[in-house]
Amino acid sequence: MRAQALLLAAALPLTLGGCGLHPLYAGGASGTVARSLAGVEVAPIEGKAGWLIGNALRDRFAGDGDGKPRYRLDIKLDDHIEGLAVRADYAATRERRSLRARFQLVRLDTQVTVLDATAGSDAGIDVVGSEYATIAAENTALERLSGIVADQITTRVALYARGHPADR
């Protein structure tokens, strides 16, 4: 029984090569995807959420590129807060903050949109008696949602870069 388990454990890594999984960031900072991401400039985005997402994306795309962008990332945001749970006096006790982004990756040499997609996430917020605490919770939710949306955008752009080697 123990010998069979050891044999199975030894054979398992051999089967992973055929499963179709490939590392997205193979080669690290000098890999093709990381170099492609370094060639993406993030266009200015309106509002506080835009500032947060823009900074997060610039951090994620930063690399040792040649400094000349090949793509521009245009993003339009929809940041919405709505009351969910309402008391008898019509005061909200729970809110949902939704952050949605429509983003387009544009090749700068041809001005052709090569990727047009959306990203988004939601967060629940408790509305408490303190207005300061509620505003702080809304801001914390926005910061968290901005990071999540930036991660989703980064992943989609990286997948595009991996799938289109001629665009590098």
Side-chain angles (χ1 to χ4, degrees):
M1 178 73 162
R2 185 160 160 63
Q4 289 175 340
L6 287 174
L7 183 60
L8 180 62
L12 188 60
L14 299 174
T15 63
L16 290 178
C19 71
L21 295 177
H22 303 283
L24 184 58
Y25 294 102
S30 62
T32 55
V33 171
R35 286 195 320 262
S36 293
L37 289 179
V40 176
E41 77 174 2
V42 180
I45 312 166
E46 290 184 26
K48 182 177 181 179
W51 182 81
L52 290 167
I53 289 177
N55 283 341
L57 288 171
R58 286 181 198 91
D59 289 345
R60 287 161 175 76
F61 292 170
D64 296 332
D66 59 8
K68 182 181 175 193
R70 290 181 296 281
Y71 298 96
R72 180 185 69 244
L73 189 60
D74 296 325
I75 302 173
K76 291 191 178 17
L77 295 177
D78 179 25
D79 179 19
H80 183 71
I81 299 176
E82 72 176 318
L84 294 177
V86 180
R87 295 189 313 226
D89 64 353
Y90 299 107
T93 59
R94 186 95 174 134
E95 294 175 336
R96 177 176 59 206
R97 185 163 204 159
S98 300
L99 183 61
R100 303 280 180 259
R102 178 172 181 211
F103 59 97
Q104 297 176 317
L105 186 65
V106 179
R107 273 188 72 133
L108 292 176
D109 59 349
T110 62
Q111 294 301 312
V112 172
T113 300
V114 295
L115 177 63
D116 189 348
T118 60
S121 191
D122 301 317
I125 302 165
D126 287 327
V127 178
V128 295
S130 167
E131 187 175 337
Y132 174 79
T134 301
I135 291 170
E138 290 172 352
N139 286 331
T140 300
L142 179 60
E143 292 169 8
R144 191 170 50 251
L145 291 173
S146 296
I148 292 168
V149 170
D151 286 341
Q152 292 174 1
I153 292 171
T154 301
T155 301
R156 292 293 304 272
V157 172
L159 287 171
Y160 172 81
R162 185 186 71 185
H164 294 82
D167 289 352
R168 290 189 191 104

